[in-house]
Coordinates of all heavy atoms in Angstrom, one line a residue:
M1149 N -3.2 -21.7 18.5 CA -4.5 -21.1 18.0 C -4.6 -21.5 16.5 O -3.7 -21.4 15.7 CB -4.5 -19.6 18.1 CG -5.7 -19.0 17.7 SD -5.8 -17.2 18.2 CE -5.9 -16.5 16.6
A1150 N -5.8 -22.1 16.2 CA -6.0 -22.5 14.8 C -6.3 -21.3 13.9 O -6.8 -20.3 14.3 CB -7.2 -23.4 14.8
L1151 N -5.8 -21.3 12.7 CA -6.1 -20.3 11.7 C -7.5 -20.3 11.3 O -8.1 -21.3 11.1 CB -5.1 -20.5 10.5 CG -3.6 -20.4 10.8 CD1 -2.9 -20.7 9.5 CD2 -3.2 -19.0 11.3
P1152 N -8.1 -19.1 11.1 CA -9.5 -19.1 10.7 C -9.7 -19.6 9.2 O -9.0 -19.1 8.3 CB -9.9 -17.6 10.8 CG -8.6 -16.9 10.7 CD -7.6 -17.8 11.2
T1153 N -10.6 -20.5 9.0 CA -10.8 -21.0 7.7 C -12.3 -21.1 7.4 O -13.1 -21.3 8.3 CB -10.2 -22.4 7.5 OG1 -10.7 -23.3 8.5 CG2 -8.7 -22.3 7.5
N1154 N -12.7 -21.0 6.2 CA -14.1 -21.1 5.7 C -14.1 -21.9 4.4 O -13.9 -21.2 3.3 CB -14.8 -19.8 5.6 CG -16.3 -19.9 5.2 OD1 -16.7 -21.0 4.8 ND2 -17.0 -18.9 5.4
Y1155 N -14.2 -23.2 4.5 CA -14.1 -24.0 3.3 C -15.3 -23.9 2.4 O -15.3 -24.3 1.2 CB -13.8 -25.5 3.6 CG -12.4 -25.7 4.1 CD1 -12.0 -25.6 5.4 CD2 -11.4 -26.0 3.2 CE1 -10.7 -25.8 5.8 CE2 -10.1 -26.2 3.5 CZ -9.8 -26.1 4.9 OH -8.4 -26.3 5.3
N1156 N -16.4 -23.2 2.9 CA -17.5 -23.0 2.0 C -17.3 -21.8 1.1 O -18.0 -21.7 0.0 CB -18.8 -22.7 2.9 CG -19.2 -23.9 3.6 OD1 -19.1 -25.0 3.1 ND2 -19.6 -23.7 4.9
M1157 N -16.3 -21.0 1.4 CA -16.0 -19.8 0.6 C -14.7 -19.8 -0.1 O -14.5 -19.2 -1.1 CB -16.0 -18.5 1.5 CG -17.3 -18.3 2.2 SD -18.6 -17.7 1.1 CE -18.0 -16.2 0.7
N1158 N -13.7 -20.6 0.5 CA -12.3 -20.6 0.0 C -11.7 -21.9 -0.2 O -12.1 -22.9 0.5 CB -11.4 -19.8 0.9 CG -11.9 -18.4 1.1 OD1 -12.0 -17.6 0.2 ND2 -12.1 -18.0 2.4
K1159 N -10.7 -22.0 -1.0 CA -9.8 -23.2 -1.1 C -8.5 -22.7 -0.4 O -8.2 -21.5 -0.5 CB -9.5 -23.5 -2.6 CG -8.9 -24.8 -2.8 CD -10.0 -25.9 -2.5 CE -9.7 -27.1 -3.3 NZ -10.5 -28.2 -2.9
Y1160 N -7.9 -23.5 0.3 CA -6.7 -23.1 1.0 C -5.4 -23.8 0.5 O -5.5 -25.0 0.2 CB -6.9 -23.4 2.5 CG -7.9 -22.5 3.1 CD1 -9.2 -22.9 3.2 CD2 -7.6 -21.2 3.6 CE1 -10.2 -22.0 3.6 CE2 -8.6 -20.4 4.0 CZ -9.9 -20.8 4.1 OH -10.8 -19.9 4.5
L1161 N -4.3 -23.1 0.5 CA -3.0 -23.6 0.0 C -2.0 -23.4 1.1 O -1.8 -22.3 1.6 CB -2.6 -22.9 -1.3 CG -3.5 -23.0 -2.5 CD1 -3.0 -22.2 -3.6 CD2 -3.7 -24.5 -2.9
A1162 N -1.3 -24.4 1.5 CA -0.1 -24.3 2.3 C 1.1 -24.1 1.4 O 1.3 -25.0 0.6 CB 0.0 -25.6 3.2
V1163 N 1.8 -23.0 1.6 CA 2.9 -22.7 0.8 C 4.2 -22.8 1.6 O 4.2 -22.2 2.7 CB 2.8 -21.3 0.1 CG1 4.1 -21.0 -0.7 CG2 1.6 -21.2 -0.7
I1164 N 5.1 -23.7 1.2 CA 6.4 -23.8 2.0 C 7.5 -23.2 1.1 O 7.6 -23.5 0.0 CB 6.7 -25.3 2.2 CG1 5.6 -25.9 3.1 CG2 8.1 -25.5 2.8 CD1 4.5 -26.5 2.5
F1165 N 8.1 -22.2 1.8 CA 9.2 -21.5 1.1 C 10.5 -22.1 1.3 O 10.8 -22.8 2.3 CB 9.2 -20.0 1.7 CG 8.0 -19.3 1.5 CD1 7.2 -18.8 2.6 CD2 7.4 -19.0 0.3 CE1 6.1 -18.1 2.4 CE2 6.3 -18.3 0.1 CZ 5.6 -17.9 1.2
E1166 N 11.4 -21.9 0.3 CA 12.8 -22.4 0.4 C 13.5 -21.5 1.5 O 13.1 -20.4 1.8 CB 13.5 -22.2 -0.9 CG 12.9 -23.1 -2.0 CD 13.5 -22.8 -3.4 OE1 14.2 -21.9 -3.5 OE2 13.1 -23.6 -4.3
R1167 N 14.5 -22.1 2.1 CA 15.2 -21.5 3.2 C 15.7 -20.0 2.9 O 15.7 -19.2 3.7 CB 16.4 -22.3 3.6 CG 17.1 -21.8 4.8 CD 18.4 -22.6 5.2 NE 18.6 -23.9 4.8 CZ 18.3 -25.0 5.5 NH1 17.8 -24.9 6.6 NH2 18.6 -26.2 5.0
D1168 N 16.1 -19.8 1.6 CA 16.6 -18.5 1.3 C 15.6 -17.6 0.6 O 15.9 -16.6 0.0 CB 17.9 -18.6 0.4 CG 17.6 -19.3 -0.9 OD1 16.5 -19.9 -1.1 OD2 18.5 -19.3 -1.8
S1169 N 14.3 -18.0 0.6 CA 13.3 -17.2 -0.1 C 13.1 -15.9 0.6 O 13.0 -15.7 1.8 CB 12.0 -18.0 0.0 OG 10.9 -17.2 -0.6
E1170 N 12.9 -14.9 -0.3 CA 12.5 -13.5 0.2 C 11.2 -13.5 0.9 O 10.9 -12.6 1.7 CB 12.5 -12.5 -1.0 CG 11.4 -12.8 -2.0 CD 11.5 -12.0 -3.2 OE1 12.5 -12.1 -4.0 OE2 10.6 -11.2 -3.5
Y1171 N 10.3 -14.5 0.6 CA 9.0 -14.5 1.2 C 9.0 -14.9 2.6 O 8.0 -14.7 3.3 CB 8.1 -15.4 0.4 CG 7.8 -14.9 -1.0 CD1 8.3 -15.7 -2.1 CD2 7.2 -13.7 -1.3 CE1 8.1 -15.3 -3.4 CE2 7.0 -13.3 -2.6 CZ 7.4 -14.1 -3.7 OH 7.2 -13.7 -4.9
I1172 N 10.0 -15.6 3.1 CA 10.0 -16.0 4.5 C 9.9 -14.8 5.4 O 9.1 -14.8 6.4 CB 11.3 -16.8 4.9 CG1 11.1 -18.2 4.2 CG2 11.5 -16.9 6.4 CD1 12.3 -19.2 4.5
S1173 N 10.6 -13.7 5.2 CA 10.5 -12.6 6.0 C 9.3 -11.7 5.7 O 8.9 -10.8 6.5 CB 11.8 -11.8 6.0 OG 12.1 -11.4 4.7
H1174 N 8.7 -11.8 4.5 CA 7.6 -11.0 4.0 C 6.6 -11.9 3.3 O 6.4 -11.7 2.1 CB 8.1 -9.9 3.1 CG 9.1 -9.0 3.7 ND1 8.8 -8.1 4.7 CD2 10.5 -8.9 3.5 CE1 9.9 -7.4 5.0 NE2 10.9 -7.9 4.4
P1175 N 5.9 -12.8 4.0 CA 5.0 -13.7 3.3 C 3.8 -13.1 2.7 O 3.3 -13.6 1.7 CB 4.6 -14.7 4.4 CG 4.8 -13.9 5.7 CD 6.0 -13.0 5.4
R1176 N 3.4 -11.9 3.1 CA 2.3 -11.2 2.5 C 2.6 -10.7 1.1 O 1.7 -10.5 0.3 CB 1.9 -10.0 3.4 CG 1.2 -10.4 4.7 CD 0.8 -9.2 5.5 NE 0.4 -9.6 6.8 CZ -0.8 -10.0 7.2 NH1 -1.7 -10.1 6.3 NH2 -1.1 -10.4 8.4
D1177 N 3.9 -10.5 0.8 CA 4.3 -10.1 -0.5 C 4.0 -11.1 -1.6 O 3.9 -10.7 -2.8 CB 5.8 -9.8 -0.6 CG 6.2 -8.6 0.2 OD1 5.3 -7.9 0.7 OD2 7.4 -8.3 0.3
L1178 N 3.7 -12.3 -1.3 CA 3.3 -13.3 -2.3 C 2.0 -12.9 -2.9 O 1.8 -13.2 -4.1 CB 3.2 -14.7 -1.7 CG 2.9 -15.9 -2.6 CD1 4.0 -16.0 -3.7 CD2 2.8 -17.2 -1.8
V1179 N 1.1 -12.2 -2.2 CA -0.2 -11.7 -2.7 C 0.1 -10.7 -3.9 O -0.7 -10.7 -4.8 CB -1.0 -11.1 -1.6 CG1 -2.3 -10.6 -2.1 CG2 -1.3 -12.2 -0.6
T1180 N 1.2 -10.0 -3.8 CA 1.5 -9.0 -4.9 C 1.8 -9.8 -6.2 O 1.4 -9.4 -7.3 CB 2.6 -8.1 -4.5 OG1 2.3 -7.5 -3.3 CG2 3.0 -7.1 -5.6
S1181 N 2.5 -10.9 -6.0 CA 2.9 -11.7 -7.2 C 1.8 -12.6 -7.7 O 1.7 -12.8 -8.9 CB 4.1 -12.7 -6.8 OG 5.2 -11.9 -6.4
V1182 N 0.9 -13.0 -6.8 CA -0.3 -13.8 -7.2 C -1.5 -13.2 -6.6 O -1.9 -13.5 -5.5 CB -0.1 -15.3 -6.8 CG1 -1.2 -16.1 -7.3 CG2 1.2 -15.8 -7.2
P1183 N -2.2 -12.2 -7.3 CA -3.3 -11.4 -6.7 C -4.5 -12.3 -6.3 O -5.3 -11.8 -5.5 CB -3.6 -10.4 -7.8 CG -2.4 -10.4 -8.7 CD -1.7 -11.7 -8.6
A1184 N -4.7 -13.5 -6.8 CA -5.8 -14.3 -6.5 C -5.7 -14.8 -5.0 O -6.7 -15.1 -4.4 CB -5.9 -15.5 -7.4
L1185 N -4.5 -14.7 -4.4 CA -4.3 -15.2 -3.1 C -4.7 -14.2 -2.0 O -4.6 -12.9 -2.2 CB -2.9 -15.6 -2.9 CG -2.3 -16.7 -3.7 CD1 -0.8 -16.9 -3.4 CD2 -3.0 -18.0 -3.4
E1186 N -5.1 -14.7 -0.9 CA -5.3 -13.8 0.3 C -4.5 -14.5 1.4 O -4.6 -15.7 1.7 CB -6.8 -13.8 0.7 CG -7.0 -13.0 2.0 CD -8.5 -13.1 2.4 OE1 -9.3 -13.2 1.6 OE2 -8.7 -12.9 3.6
Y1187 N -3.6 -13.7 2.1 CA -2.8 -14.2 3.1 C -3.6 -14.5 4.4 O -4.4 -13.7 4.8 CB -1.7 -13.2 3.5 CG -0.7 -13.8 4.5 CD1 0.1 -14.8 4.3 CD2 -0.7 -13.2 5.8 CE1 1.0 -15.3 5.2 CE2 0.2 -13.7 6.8 CZ 1.0 -14.7 6.5 OH 1.9 -15.2 7.4
V1188 N -3.5 -15.8 4.9 CA -4.2 -16.2 6.1 C -3.3 -16.1 7.3 O -3.7 -15.5 8.3 CB -4.9 -17.6 6.0 CG1 -5.6 -18.0 7.2 CG2 -5.8 -17.6 4.8
G1189 N -2.1 -16.7 7.2 CA -1.2 -16.6 8.3 C -0.2 -17.7 8.3 O -0.2 -18.6 7.5
Q1190 N 0.8 -17.6 9.3 CA 1.8 -18.6 9.4 C 1.2 -19.9 10.0 O 0.3 -19.9 10.8 CB 2.9 -18.1 10.4 CG 4.1 -19.0 10.6 CD 5.1 -18.3 11.4 OE1 5.4 -17.1 11.3 NE2 5.7 -19.1 12.3
I1191 N 1.7 -21.0 9.5 CA 1.2 -22.3 10.0 C 2.1 -22.7 11.2 O 3.3 -23.0 11.1 CB 1.3 -23.4 8.9 CG1 0.5 -23.0 7.7 CG2 0.9 -24.7 9.5 CD1 0.6 -23.9 6.5
G1192 N 1.4 -22.7 12.4 CA 2.1 -23.0 13.6 C 3.4 -22.2 13.9 O 3.4 -21.0 13.6
Q1193 N 4.4 -22.9 14.3 CA 5.7 -22.2 14.5 C 6.7 -22.3 13.3 O 7.8 -22.0 13.4 CB 6.4 -22.8 15.8 CG 5.6 -22.6 17.0 CD 5.4 -21.1 17.4 OE1 6.3 -20.3 17.3 NE2 4.1 -20.8 17.7
L1194 N 6.2 -22.8 12.2 CA 7.0 -23.1 11.0 C 7.2 -21.8 10.3 O 6.2 -21.3 9.6 CB 6.4 -24.1 10.2 CG 6.1 -25.5 10.8 CD1 5.3 -26.4 9.9 CD2 7.4 -26.1 11.2
Q1195 N 8.3 -21.2 10.3 CA 8.5 -19.9 9.7 C 8.5 -19.9 8.2 O 8.2 -19.0 7.5 CB 9.8 -19.2 10.2 CG 9.8 -18.8 11.6 CD 11.0 -18.0 12.0 OE1 11.9 -17.8 11.2 NE2 11.0 -17.6 13.3
D1196 N 8.7 -21.1 7.6 CA 8.7 -21.3 6.2 C 7.4 -21.7 5.6 O 7.2 -21.8 4.4 CB 9.8 -22.3 5.7 CG 9.6 -23.7 6.2 OD1 8.8 -23.9 7.1 OD2 10.2 -24.6 5.7
S1197 N 6.4 -21.9 6.5 CA 5.1 -22.5 6.0 C 4.0 -21.5 6.3 O 3.8 -21.1 7.5 CB 4.8 -23.8 6.7 OG 5.9 -24.7 6.4
H1198 N 3.2 -21.1 5.3 CA 2.2 -20.1 5.4 C 0.9 -20.6 4.7 O 1.0 -21.3 3.7 CB 2.7 -18.8 4.9 CG 3.8 -18.2 5.7 ND1 3.5 -17.3 6.7 CD2 5.1 -18.5 5.7 CE1 4.7 -17.0 7.3 NE2 5.7 -17.7 6.7
L1199 N -0.2 -20.1 5.2 CA -1.5 -20.5 4.6 C -2.1 -19.3 3.8 O -2.1 -18.2 4.3 CB -2.5 -20.9 5.7 CG -3.8 -21.6 5.3 CD1 -3.5 -22.9 4.6 CD2 -4.7 -21.8 6.5
Y1200 N -2.6 -19.7 2.6 CA -3.2 -18.7 1.7 C -4.6 -19.2 1.3 O -4.8 -20.4 1.2 CB -2.3 -18.4 0.5 CG -1.0 -17.8 0.8 CD1 0.1 -18.6 1.2 CD2 -0.8 -16.4 0.8 CE1 1.3 -18.0 1.5 CE2 0.4 -15.8 1.1 CZ 1.4 -16.6 1.5 OH 2.7 -16.1 1.8
A1201 N -5.5 -18.3 1.1 CA -6.8 -18.6 0.7 C -7.0 -18.1 -0.8 O -6.5 -17.1 -1.2 CB -7.9 -18.0 1.6
I1202 N -7.9 -18.9 -1.5 CA -8.3 -18.4 -2.9 C -9.8 -18.6 -2.8 O -10.3 -19.7 -2.5 CB -7.7 -19.3 -4.0 CG1 -6.2 -19.2 -4.0 CG2 -8.3 -19.0 -5.3 CD1 -5.5 -20.1 -5.0
P1203 N -10.6 -17.6 -3.2 CA -12.0 -17.7 -3.2 C -12.4 -18.8 -4.2 O -11.8 -19.0 -5.3 CB -12.5 -16.3 -3.8 CG -11.4 -15.4 -3.5 CD -10.1 -16.2 -3.5
L1204 N -13.4 -19.6 -3.8 CA -13.9 -20.7 -4.7 C -14.3 -20.2 -6.1 O -14.2 -20.9 -7.0 CB -15.0 -21.5 -4.0 CG -14.7 -22.3 -2.8 CD1 -15.9 -22.9 -2.2 CD2 -13.6 -23.4 -3.2
A1205 N -14.8 -19.0 -6.1 CA -15.2 -18.4 -7.4 C -14.1 -18.3 -8.4 O -14.2 -18.3 -9.6 CB -15.9 -17.1 -7.2
V1206 N -12.9 -18.2 -7.8 CA -11.7 -18.0 -8.7 C -10.9 -19.3 -8.9 O -10.2 -19.5 -9.8 CB -10.7 -17.0 -8.0 CG1 -9.4 -16.8 -8.7 CG2 -11.4 -15.6 -7.8
W1207 N -11.2 -20.3 -8.0 CA -10.4 -21.5 -7.9 C -10.4 -22.3 -9.2 O -9.4 -22.8 -9.7 CB -10.9 -22.4 -6.8 CG -10.2 -23.7 -6.7 CD1 -10.7 -25.0 -7.0 CD2 -8.8 -24.0 -6.4 NE1 -9.8 -25.9 -6.8 CE2 -8.6 -25.4 -6.5 CE3 -7.8 -23.1 -6.0 CZ2 -7.4 -25.9 -6.2 CZ3 -6.5 -23.7 -5.7 CH2 -6.4 -25.1 -5.8
D1208 N -11.6 -22.4 -9.9 CA -11.7 -23.2 -11.1 C -10.8 -22.7 -12.2 O -10.5 -23.4 -13.1 CB -13.2 -23.3 -11.6 CG -14.0 -24.1 -10.6 OD1 -13.4 -25.0 -10.0 OD2 -15.2 -23.9 -10.6
T1209 N -10.5 -21.4 -12.2 CA -9.7 -20.8 -13.3 C -8.3 -20.5 -12.8 O -7.5 -20.0 -13.6 CB -10.3 -19.5 -13.8 OG1 -10.5 -18.6 -12.7 CG2 -11.7 -19.8 -14.4
F1210 N -8.0 -20.8 -11.6 CA -6.6 -20.6 -11.0 C -5.6 -21.6 -11.6 O -5.9 -22.8 -11.6 CB -6.7 -20.7 -9.5 CG -5.3 -20.3 -8.9 CD1 -4.9 -19.0 -8.8 CD2 -4.6 -21.3 -8.3 CE1 -3.7 -18.7 -8.3 CE2 -3.4 -21.1 -7.7 CZ -2.9 -19.8 -7.7
D1211 N -4.5 -21.1 -12.0 CA -3.4 -21.9 -12.5 C -2.3 -22.0 -11.5 O -1.7 -21.1 -11.2 CB -2.9 -21.2 -13.8 CG -1.8 -22.1 -14.5 OD1 -1.5 -23.2 -14.0 OD2 -1.3 -21.6 -15.6
M1212 N -2.2 -23.2 -10.9 CA -1.2 -23.5 -9.9 C 0.2 -23.2 -10.3 O 1.0 -22.9 -9.5 CB -1.3 -25.0 -9.4 CG -2.5 -25.3 -8.6 SD -2.5 -24.6 -6.9 CE -1.4 -25.8 -6.2
R1213 N 0.5 -23.2 -11.6 CA 1.8 -22.9 -12.1 C 2.2 -21.4 -11.7 O 3.4 -21.1 -11.6 CB 1.9 -23.1 -13.6 CG 1.9 -24.6 -13.9 CD 1.9 -24.7 -15.4 NE 0.6 -24.2 -15.9 CZ 0.2 -24.3 -17.2 NH1 1.0 -24.9 -18.1 NH2 -0.9 -23.9 -17.6
Q1214 N 1.2 -20.6 -11.5 CA 1.5 -19.2 -11.0 C 2.4 -19.2 -9.7 O 3.2 -18.4 -9.5 CB 0.3 -18.4 -10.7 CG -0.6 -18.1 -11.9 CD -1.8 -17.3 -11.5 OE1 -1.7 -16.3 -10.9 NE2 -3.0 -17.9 -11.9
L1215 N 2.1 -20.2 -8.9 CA 2.8 -20.3 -7.6 C 4.0 -21.3 -7.8 O 5.1 -20.9 -7.3 CB 1.9 -21.0 -6.6 CG 0.9 -20.1 -5.9 CD1 0.0 -20.9 -5.0 CD2 1.7 -19.0 -5.0
E1216 N 3.8 -22.4 -8.4 CA 4.9 -23.4 -8.5 C 6.1 -23.0 -9.2 O 7.2 -23.5 -9.0 CB 4.3 -24.7 -9.1 CG 3.2 -25.3 -8.2 CD 2.4 -26.4 -9.0 OE1 2.4 -26.4 -10.2 OE2 1.8 -27.2 -8.3
T1217 N 6.0 -22.0 -10.1 CA 7.1 -21.5 -10.9 C 7.8 -20.3 -10.3 O 8.9 -19.9 -10.8 CB 6.7 -21.2 -12.3 OG1 5.7 -20.2 -12.3 CG2 6.2 -22.4 -13.0
L1218 N 7.3 -19.8 -9.2 CA 7.9 -18.6 -8.6 C 9.2 -19.1 -7.8 O 9.2 -20.1 -7.2 CB 7.0 -18.0 -7.5 CG 5.9 -17.1 -8.1 CD1 4.9 -16.6 -7.0 CD2 6.4 -15.9 -8.9
R1219 N 10.2 -18.2 -7.9 CA 11.5 -18.5 -7.2 C 11.2 -18.4 -5.7 O 10.6 -17.4 -5.3 CB 12.6 -17.6 -7.7 CG 13.9 -18.0 -7.1 CD 15.1 -17.3 -7.5 NE 14.9 -16.2 -8.4 CZ 15.9 -15.5 -8.8 NH1 17.1 -15.7 -8.4 NH2 15.7 -14.5 -9.7
G1220 N 11.8 -19.3 -4.9 CA 11.6 -19.2 -3.5 C 10.6 -20.1 -2.9 O 10.4 -20.1 -1.7
I1221 N 9.8 -20.8 -3.7 CA 8.7 -21.6 -3.2 C 9.2 -23.1 -3.4 O 9.5 -23.5 -4.5 CB 7.4 -21.4 -4.0 CG1 6.9 -20.0 -3.6 CG2 6.4 -22.4 -3.6 CD1 5.6 -19.6 -4.2
A1222 N 9.2 -23.8 -2.3 CA 9.6 -25.2 -2.3 C 8.4 -26.1 -2.7 O 8.6 -27.0 -3.4 CB 10.2 -25.6 -0.9
S1223 N 7.3 -25.8 -2.1 CA 6.1 -26.7 -2.5 C 4.8 -26.0 -2.1 O 4.8 -25.0 -1.3 CB 6.2 -28.0 -1.7 OG 5.9 -27.9 -0.4
V1224 N 3.7 -26.4 -2.8 CA 2.4 -25.9 -2.6 C 1.5 -27.1 -2.3 O 1.5 -28.1 -3.1 CB 1.9 -25.1 -3.8 CG1 0.5 -24.6 -3.5 CG2 2.8 -24.0 -4.1
Q1225 N 0.7 -27.1 -1.2 CA -0.1 -28.2 -0.9 C -1.6 -27.7 -0.7 O -1.8 -26.8 0.1 CB 0.3 -28.9 0.4 CG 1.8 -29.4 0.3 CD 2.3 -29.8 1.6 OE1 1.7 -29.7 2.6 NE2 3.5 -30.3 1.6
I1226 N -2.5 -28.3 -1.4 CA -3.9 -28.0 -1.3 C -4.4 -28.6 0.1 O -4.1 -29.8 0.3 CB -4.7 -28.6 -2.4 CG1 -4.3 -28.0 -3.8 CG2 -6.2 -28.3 -2.2 CD1 -4.9 -28.6 -5.0
Q1227 N -5.0 -27.8 0.8 CA -5.5 -28.2 2.2 C -7.0 -28.6 2.1 O -7.8 -27.9 1.4 CB -5.4 -27.1 3.2 CG -4.0 -26.6 3.3 CD -3.0 -27.7 3.8 OE1 -3.1 -28.1 5.0 NE2 -2.1 -28.1 3.0
E1228 N -7.3 -29.7 2.7 CA -8.7 -30.2 2.7 C -9.2 -30.0 4.1 O -8.5 -30.1 5.1 CB -8.8 -31.6 2.3 CG -8.3 -31.9 0.9 CD -9.2 -31.2 -0.2 OE1 -10.3 -31.0 0.1 OE2 -8.6 -31.0 -1.3
P1229 N -10.6 -29.8 4.3 CA -11.1 -29.6 5.6 C -10.9 -30.9 6.4 O -11.0 -32.0 5.8 CB -12.6 -29.3 5.4 CG -12.9 -29.7 4.0 CD -11.6 -29.7 3.3
K1230 N -10.7 -30.8 7.7 CA -10.5 -32.0 8.5 C -11.9 -32.4 9.0 O -12.7 -31.6 9.5 CB -9.7 -31.6 9.7 CG -8.2 -31.2 9.3 CD -7.3 -31.6 10.4 CE -5.9 -31.2 10.2 NZ -5.3 -31.4 8.9
M1231 N -12.2 -33.6 8.8 CA -13.5 -34.2 9.2 C -13.3 -34.8 10.6 O -12.5 -35.6 10.9 CB -13.9 -35.3 8.3 CG -14.0 -34.8 6.8 SD -15.1 -33.4 6.6 CE -16.7 -34.2 6.6
R1232 N -14.1 -34.3 11.5 CA -14.1 -34.8 12.9 C -15.1 -36.0 13.0 O -16.2 -35.9 12.5 CB -14.5 -33.7 13.9 CG -13.4 -32.6 13.9 CD -13.8 -31.6 15.0 NE -12.7 -30.6 15.0 CZ -12.2 -30.1 16.1 NH1 -12.6 -30.5 17.3 NH2 -11.2 -29.2 16.0
V1233 N -14.7 -37.0 13.7 CA -15.5 -38.2 13.9 C -15.9 -38.2 15.3 O -15.1 -38.1 16.3 CB -14.7 -39.5 13.5 CG1 -15.6 -40.7 13.8 CG2 -14.3 -39.4 12.1
K1234 N -17.2 -38.3 15.5 CA -17.7 -38.4 16.9 C -17.6 -39.8 17.4 O -17.9 -40.8 16.7 CB -19.2 -38.0 16.9 CG -19.8 -37.9 18.3 CD -21.2 -37.4 18.2 CE -21.8 -37.3 19.6 NZ -23.1 -36.8 19.6
R1235 N -16.9 -39.9 18.6 CA -16.7 -41.2 19.2 C -18.0 -41.7 19.9 O -18.6 -41.0 20.5 CB -15.6 -41.2 20.2 CG -14.2 -41.0 19.5 CD -13.2 -41.3 20.5 NE -12.6 -40.1 21.0 CZ -11.7 -40.1 22.0 NH1 -11.3 -41.2 22.6 NH2 -11.2 -38.9 22.4
G1236 N -18.2 -43.0 19.7 CA -19.3 -43.6 20.4 C -18.9 -44.0 21.8 O -17.7 -43.9 22.2
G1237 N -19.8 -44.5 22.6 CA -19.5 -45.0 24.0 C -18.5 -46.1 24.0 O -17.7 -46.2 25.0
D1238 N -18.4 -46.9 23.0 CA -17.4 -48.0 23.0 C -16.0 -47.6 22.8 O -15.0 -48.3 23.1 CB -17.8 -49.0 21.8 CG -19.1 -49.6 22.0 OD1 -19.7 -49.6 23.1 OD2 -19.7 -50.2 21.0
D1239 N -15.8 -46.4 22.3 CA -14.4 -45.9 22.0 C -13.7 -45.3 23.2 O -12.6 -45.0 23.2 CB -14.4 -44.8 20.9 CG -14.9 -45.4 19.6 OD1 -14.8 -46.7 19.4 OD2 -15.3 -44.7 18.7
L1240 N -14.5 -45.1 24.3 CA -13.9 -44.4 25.4 C -13.2 -45.4 26.3 O -12.7 -46.0 26.8 CB -15.0 -43.7 26.2 CG -15.7 -42.6 25.5 CD1 -16.8 -42.1 26.3 CD2 -14.7 -41.5 25.1

């Protein structure tokens, strides 16, 4: 099941936690450390990877170092909307 996203309202960040991170068992606690975030959910079956939303109104002033310097975070990746391409009759 795909996670609900609204790219017209939010920017999305995939946060990958280190193996020994306290956030792996409590990913919602990251919102306490970085209040601009909203927890969206786990990414697939990857227990160390979680999706967070930041309202676009806050995005321009958001400092990524708030996340990147926290202990227990391996990486942060900005997610872009996936563009679907309609296939023409020749592609079938």
